[in-house]
Amino acid sequence: MAMADAGPLMRRYEGAARGRGVAAAGWRLCLAHRFEERRQPYCASDVPLADVLRHVGLGLRYFRWWYKKTRLEKKYPFIDLLSAIPLQQIYGCPLGGIGGGTITRGWRGEFCRWQLNPGIYHYETVIADQFTVCLRRKGQTVYQQVLSVEKPSTLQGWNWGYCGRYAFYHALYPRAWTVYELPGQNVVLTCRQVSPVIPHDYQDSSLPVGVFIWEVENGNDEDVDVSIMFSLQNGTGTKEDKRGGHWNEPFTFEKEGKQVAGVLLHHCTEVNPFTLAISAREKAGTGVTHFTAFNPTGSGKEVWQDLLQDGRLDSPAGRSTPTEKGEVVAAAVCASCTVPARGHRTLKLALAWDMPCVHFGSKEKLHLRRYTRYFSSKGDAAPALSHYALTRYEEWEKKIDAWQKPILENSHLPPWYKSALFNELYFLTDGGTIWVELPPDCCAEDVQGPAGAGLSQLLPVLREYGRFAYLEGQEYRMYNTYDVHFYASFALIMLWPKLQISLQYDIAVTVVNEDVQPRQYLMRGQTAQVKLKNVVPHDIGEPDDEPWQRVNAYLIHDTASWKDLNLKFVLQVYRDYYLTHDSLYLRDMWPVCQAVMESELKFDTDNDGLIENGGFADQTYDAWVVTGASAYCGGLWLAAVCMMCKMADVLGDGETLRKYTAILQKGKEAFERLLWNGKYYNYDSSESVTSSSIMSDQCAGQWFLGACGLGQGQFEVFPKSHVVSALKTIFEKNVMGFAGGTMGAVNGMTPDGVPDTSSIQSNEVWIGVVYALAATMIQEGLVQEGFHTAEGCYRTVWERLGMAFQTPEAYCEKKVFRSLAYMRPLSIWSMQLALESRASQAPAPTEPTQANSLNP
């Protein structure tokens, strides 16, 4: 439900929300829900299963592989076509920084999605993880309520069933606000949730913490004593919680005259043990008490009655007894204060988790997370992390406000766009993300392999900024899937450019090295080596193996014959240089770009300057066959050739400049001759029934050229009139001619105005592709068309289908989706880049106004 549609309930909370940290210009723009809201179910289906099993041989090969992987090896498959994650329309803003694991809260307040082990998710709502409020007047408890609408079968000694009509949720990542009006009490609570996700910050943004700032407003004519209790189970709701050996202990941590207190919950698993910490800030007027251990599967009366008695907890000293097998343990911390009549007070609580050293599934190497550069790596950092979060969050919020405010206050931007732009960033932290340090004793040979000696800045970059990886999707468990990262990379290069540079160095290392081990691929059953030299990998590995060491976890196709991967490397290299002006990076990457382009030239089978596709699904649309010259790969090729010319010019490499200038001239002529039909570029040149399909992504090459200030004048590749005509045709057919113009752009549309059903992917909408298409439209002056195109996806995903904070890769018109929580929609940041570029090129107004600039 959009905040603009909230009606009377939103107005009821407007006064409460303002003044409690919700940005004055931005609070209306957030994802918003009533607690009582329910949505119509959407058919959960992993679409490719039907397409895959249509091929009997492939289906049998996949099932045999799946059975071995899941039943014999007891590991997760890189894509599980047999048990897709069911859609739960419950998720809200995740907690935590980048690369230290995440814990997601639902919009009704539940703790319901856990990713502490890198890349591995548990979708469990842990009922003991709650906030409870206690109100006392004149020494008597007058109200005590769990702030949850749930009515569970456990902890029945607690007062459950908070009425959802009295609560409202807002999210604008990395913050969220929940407003509670306590019935009959004339007291309003606002919980502001903050995570340290701060652009261009490579320290605090790595921290595994979240802060809850509880603003309490007393509308009565007498004082009220208010306590907020935070209870948490030791674990993530899985069977590991009952394995035994877990224990809790209270702690206090004081530094620079500031003190926090709480409980540590030590989760002692054999692999990747961790500690959770719940805490609160102690200061004058605020007391902090705790309950070290209780049974969350029992009635919970001992905790409830303790709080009910005096609004505080007993605070026993000493650690709890380690749990026996089959037992579960939880803890609670309580912050209390007196709120004067008609007054306002603040209580500050935090959640931290400390899993400093991690093994991936192979258990071969021990990795230190990024935050261990600043905090202990011995598993004892949770108290210090808690203290740091509770004493620094105000600085984080100032930086978040400075980043977001110029966009939120720009009246030329539609509200839905502002919500989408920031909320889609959840995936940078909650995409199975891992950010690790290089070992202190690591040398160049350890990371560059036998052929990577030419990358002079490889070791300095990785030492300073670490290694970064995120999954293709929460269901597609491959790290840094490169054909998809191509789209998503705009978020990194614009907000954390050093992480994009680090990722590119890791890819460059794999390019120049090879893995000669044989492997059978599932699509055709053929055997080929895992990785060829001078070819960009599909991915850098999976979390159940050893990423960076063993690449290409994707087993469907042999991607050495894919046509887009090498090109996407070249395009990103120049785009990164254009936005960062990092000349050392460009010089390091130049020989790698030359190598991958030389490798790509073999796909120009007729020497016309244009590569040809091979008659199978040999690019990111891995179920959509393409033959001969194609709009998508051919366009990417020409854009990459153009950027080779530009880089050669910058670096003074005259020989390479002449070589690729000649190729570009031939290729441009062939592209126009083979694919331009007078209105748009045909899907491919095969002259098949579907070769004239209108592909929504046909201008991907122009998209990247425009993002780099190219594609016009001396560096025009595609005639301007043709680009605009193609985009207008896509808008008319793929956008407005599909689902009434309300669901974005379908990937493929026939000239007759019927979706292309030749493959399952041609009949899908890919949200990340739509955002890229919208950016291209904006670059080419079709601003309103771009916004309308992208808005269809936002409204469909975040509002109609209830897929907040789990944006899928794809959906169809008829209630089918694929691959929840996916990387590609981060491409929405290319829309922001296009808008900023247009603003910087616009003539200065005679009388400057605040709304005229998109730039911070």
Side-chain angles (χ1 to χ4, degrees):
M1 182 178 73
M3 186 164 286
D5 300 328
L9 183 65
M10 183 185 75
R11 290 191 292 273
R12 180 190 306 172
Y13 293 126
E14 180 168 356
R18 292 184 187 277
R20 283 181 174 72
V22 186
W27 79 278
R28 287 181 178 272
L29 313 171
C30 315
L31 165 78
H33 291 290
R34 289 188 182 97
F35 267 33
E36 61 184 352
E37 184 176 349
R38 292 291 187 275
R39 298 180 184 275
Q40 292 297 314
Y42 201 64
C43 299
S45 171
D46 205 310
V47 180
L49 179 59
D51 205 49
V52 165
L53 298 185
R54 186 179 303 163
H55 307 278
V56 176
L58 172 59
L60 291 174
R61 286 190 294 273
Y62 178 83
F63 182 77
R64 285 195 295 266
W65 172 85
W66 179 90
Y67 184 85
K68 178 184 177 184
K69 187 81 169 181
T70 62
R71 297 301 186 262
L72 302 181
E73 298 177 6
K74 305 297 183 183
K75 293 187 175 182
Y76 294 94
F78 72 95
I79 298 178
D80 194 340
L81 299 180
L82 300 180
S83 54
I85 297 170
L87 172 64
Q88 298 185 80
Q89 297 155 317
I90 65 174
Y91 297 115
C93 189
L95 289 156
I98 300 173
T102 47
I103 299 172
T104 297
R105 294 185 73 212
W107 51 268
R108 291 180 296 175
E110 63 270 59
F111 291 76
C112 51
R113 186 168 68 197
W114 307 77
Q115 189 260 144
L116 300 186
N117 284 302
I120 305 299
Y121 279 84
H122 300 293
Y123 302 88
E124 308 286 344
T125 295
V126 183
I127 202 64
D129 299 353
Q130 299 291 346
F131 287 102
T132 297
V133 62
C134 174
L135 303 183
R136 292 172 58 81
R137 294 190 179 93
K138 298 177 180 179
Q140 298 293 321
T141 298
V142 296
Y143 183 87
Q144 187 162 298
Q145 174 72 53
V146 183
L147 296 172
S148 168
V149 297
E150 302 293 339
K151 296 180 179 179
S153 59
T154 57
L155 297 174
Q156 293 193 344
W158 296 14
N159 185 23
W160 296 91
Y162 181 82
C163 182
R165 288 179 297 172
Y166 294 96
F168 201 79
Y169 178 85
H170 329 260
L172 192 68
Y173 189 76
R175 294 186 288 184
W177 296 261
T178 310
V179 182
Y180 304 87
E181 185 179 276
L182 303 184
Q185 303 304 314
N186 205 14
V187 171
V188 176
L189 308 176
T190 301
C191 177
R192 187 169 77 255
Q193 173 185 309
V194 180
S195 292
V197 180
I198 305 162
H200 307 286
D201 178 292
Y202 300 92
Q203 176 175 326
D204 289 5
S205 290
S206 71
L207 302 182
V209 296
V211 180
F212 306 95
I213 303 98
W214 287 84
E215 308 282 358
V216 186
E217 182 177 335
N218 179 11
N220 297 287
D221 293 326
E222 60 180 345
D223 296 354
V224 60
D225 297 328
V226 179
S227 298
I228 300 292
M229 181 178 76
F230 183 13
S231 55
L232 195 76
Q233 182 168 307
N234 189 326
T236 61
T238 69
K239 63 182 181 181
E240 287 291 330
D241 294 7
K242 297 182 179 181
R243 71 181 300 274
H246 309 313
W247 54 282
N248 304 340
E249 64 173 330
F251 78 93
T252 59
F253 190 96
E254 189 274 335
K255 185 178 181 180
E256 298 174 350
K258 299 174 182 179
Q259 182 164 299
V260 301
V263 181
L264 303 175
L265 298 86
H266 301 290
H267 199 74
C268 304
T269 53
E270 293 181 7
V271 179
N272 299 343
F274 61 91
T275 296
L276 298 162
I278 50 176
S279 62
R281 174 80 185 276
E282 282 188 311
K283 59 181 181 178
T286 300
V288 179
T289 54
H290 68 269
F291 203 106
T292 307
F294 68 92
N295 178 11
T297 65
S299 69
K301 285 184 178 179
E302 67 276 29
V303 183
W304 191 262
Q305 292 300 320
D306 187 8
L307 182 65
L308 189 70
Q309 182 177 355
D310 59 3
R312 297 174 182 272
L313 299 174
D314 276 347
S315 301
R319 64 176 60 181
S320 68
T321 303
T323 56
E324 299 291 336
K325 186 174 183 179
E327 291 181 343
V328 185
V329 68
V333 65
C334 178
S336 306
C337 69
T338 298
V339 185
R342 304 291 176 179
H344 168 269
R345 290 290 183 269
T346 303
L347 297 171
K348 305 171 184 179
L349 296 96
L351 172 62
W353 51 100
D354 183 25
M355 184 191 285
C357 309
V358 293
H359 285 101
F360 291 103
S362 72
K363 304 181 182 65
E364 294 174 29
K365 293 185 175 182
L366 187 65
H367 301 268
L368 295 180
R369 293 194 194 261
R370 170 70 173 183
Y371 74 87
T372 62
R373 173 177 284 224
Y374 313 105
F375 291 86
S376 170
S377 61
K378 298 178 181 179
D380 57 358
L385 284 165
S386 301
H387 183 278
Y388 192 87
L390 285 166
T391 57
R392 298 296 181 91
Y393 79 87
E394 291 173 318
E395 296 178 23
W396 300 343
E397 290 203 275
K398 288 178 182 177
K399 294 176 180 178
I400 292 169
D401 283 335
W403 161 42
Q404 294 184 339
K405 187 177 180 180
I407 294 171
L408 297 178
E409 292 187 345
N410 190 319
S411 61
H412 295 299
L413 299 177
W416 68 263
Y417 169 76
K418 301 171 187 179
S419 175
L421 184 70
F422 293 114
N423 282 332
E424 290 289 7
L425 282 174
Y426 84 94
F427 195 82
L428 277 183
T429 62
D430 201 21
T433 312
I434 185 73
W435 187 4
V436 297
E437 292 282 278
L438 281 188
D441 58 350
C442 182
C443 62
E445 291 74 16
D446 295 332
V447 292
Q448 69 189 17
L455 299 169
S456 67
Q457 296 302 301
L458 169 67
L459 201 57
V461 166
L462 296 187
R463 277 180 173 162
E464 181 63 24
Y465 297 104
R467 278 181 150 168
F468 171 86
Y470 60 154
L471 297 177
E472 179 179 338
Q474 290 181 14
E475 295 190 84
Y476 287 15
R477 302 177 185 92
M478 296 156 284
Y479 275 123
N480 294 350
T481 299
Y482 202 70
D483 57 300
V484 183
H485 172 70
F486 171 72
Y487 294 84
S489 63
F490 281 89
L492 275 186
I493 195 61
M494 293 179 69
L495 301 174
W496 290 273
K498 298 300 184 181
L499 294 185
Q500 166 67 7
I501 298 298
S502 169
L503 186 155
Q504 285 285 88
Y505 269 102
D506 275 327
I507 294 295
V509 167
T510 66
V511 166
V512 298
N513 288 286
E514 63 180 341
D515 184 343
V516 299
Q517 294 296 317
R519 167 193 285 170
Q520 184 182 46
Y521 289 90
L522 298 174
M523 179 59 76
R524 300 180 179 181
Q526 84 275 27
T527 299
Q529 73 181 64
V530 171
K531 168 68 177 62
L532 293 179
K533 187 173 182 178
N534 295 335
V535 172
V536 171
H538 175 273
D539 56 81
I540 57 105
E542 60 179 313
D544 243 348
D545 190 18
E546 193 61 52
W548 294 295
Q549 181 169 320
R550 284 185 290 278
V551 303
N552 281 345
Y554 179 78
L555 294 175
I556 304 296
H557 296 279
D558 175 10
T559 59
S561 57
W562 277 21
K563 308 305 183 292
D564 59 339
L565 289 169
N566 292 343
L567 308 176
K568 289 173 175 177
F569 179 81
V570 173
L571 293 169
Q572 287 184 68
V573 166
Y574 183 72
R575 188 273 319 270
D576 298 346
Y577 166 73
Y578 175 74
L579 294 177
T580 66
H581 309 290
D582 188 338
S583 58
L584 291 176
Y585 166 75
L586 182 64
R587 290 187 181 279
D588 265 359
M589 295 297 158
W590 179 235
V592 186
C593 289
Q594 291 176 292
V596 298
M597 288 297 282
E598 197 64 34
S599 176
E600 190 80 6
L601 275 169
K602 66 178 178 289
F603 299 127
D604 180 8
T605 56
D606 55 5
N607 197 33
D608 65 350
L610 190 65
I611 61 170
E612 286 81 40
N613 290 89
F616 62 99
D618 53 358
Q619 25 72 44
T620 194
Y621 298 87
D622 57 353
W624 194 358
V625 172
V626 57
T627 303
S630 70
Y632 182 69
C633 290
L636 293 176
W637 162 255
L638 292 178
V641 172
C642 176
M643 290 192 186
M644 289 294 288
C645 295
K646 181 64 175 178
M647 287 187 284
D649 185 42
V650 170
L651 295 170
D653 188 339
E655 182 180 350
T656 303
L657 174 60
R658 289 187 291 273
K659 172 182 177 178
Y660 282 100
T661 299
I663 293 173
L664 182 60
Q665 293 307 311
K666 286 198 302 180
K668 285 163 60 176
E669 188 280 328
F671 189 80
E672 297 295 323
R673 172 171 47 84
L674 294 171
L675 296 170
W676 180 249
N677 64 20
K679 293 189 69 176
Y680 62 92
Y681 293 102
N682 286 336
Y683 177 66
D684 67 19
S685 63
S686 66
E687 299 185 358
S688 65
V689 175
T690 59
S691 66
S692 61
S693 283
I694 306 163
M695 186 188 197
S696 66
D697 212 4
Q698 64 183 271
C699 295
Q702 179 66 20
W703 170 47
F704 247 74
L705 288 169
C708 299
L710 302 175
Q712 55 190 341
Q714 177 187 355
F715 292 96
E716 181 180 89
V717 176
F718 312 99
K720 172 77 171 181
S721 61
H722 289 188
V723 171
V724 172
S725 175
L727 292 172
K728 287 182 175 179
T729 302
I730 294 167
F731 185 72
E732 176 191 350
K733 298 290 189 178
N734 301 56
V735 179
M736 301 307 296
F738 175 75
T742 63
M743 295 183 74
V746 67
N747 282 341
M749 181 69 80
T750 67
D752 297 331
V754 178
D756 181 345
T757 58
S758 62
S759 83
I760 195 65
Q761 291 177 342
S762 60
N763 194 32
E764 291 178 326
V765 175
W766 286 12
I767 296 90
V769 167
V770 172
Y771 288 151
L773 169 63
T776 313
M777 290 176 171
I778 291 168
Q779 288 171 184
E780 300 303 322
L782 304 175
V783 178
Q784 295 307 313
E785 291 89 340
F787 276 127
H788 183 91
T789 297
E791 182 178 2
C793 283
Y794 174 81
R795 302 287 186 195
T796 299
V797 171
W798 288 83
E799 295 181 355
R800 289 194 289 272
L801 304 183
M803 293 179 174
F805 297 101
Q806 54 182 329
T807 304
E809 157 75 318
Y811 57 77
C812 296
E813 182 178 6
K814 301 300 182 182
K815 292 192 173 182
V816 178
F817 69 88
R818 178 166 62 82
S819 188
L820 289 170
Y822 198 76
M823 177 196 290
R824 204 183 314 253
L826 286 167
S827 63
I828 192 170
W829 278 86
S830 68
M831 291 181 65
Q832 184 61 20
L833 180 62
L835 289 164
E836 291 178 2
S837 297
R838 283 183 60 81
S840 67
Q841 296 165 9
T846 54
E847 294 185 9
T849 60
Q850 187 176 19
N852 281 334
S853 175
L854 287 165
N855 292 303

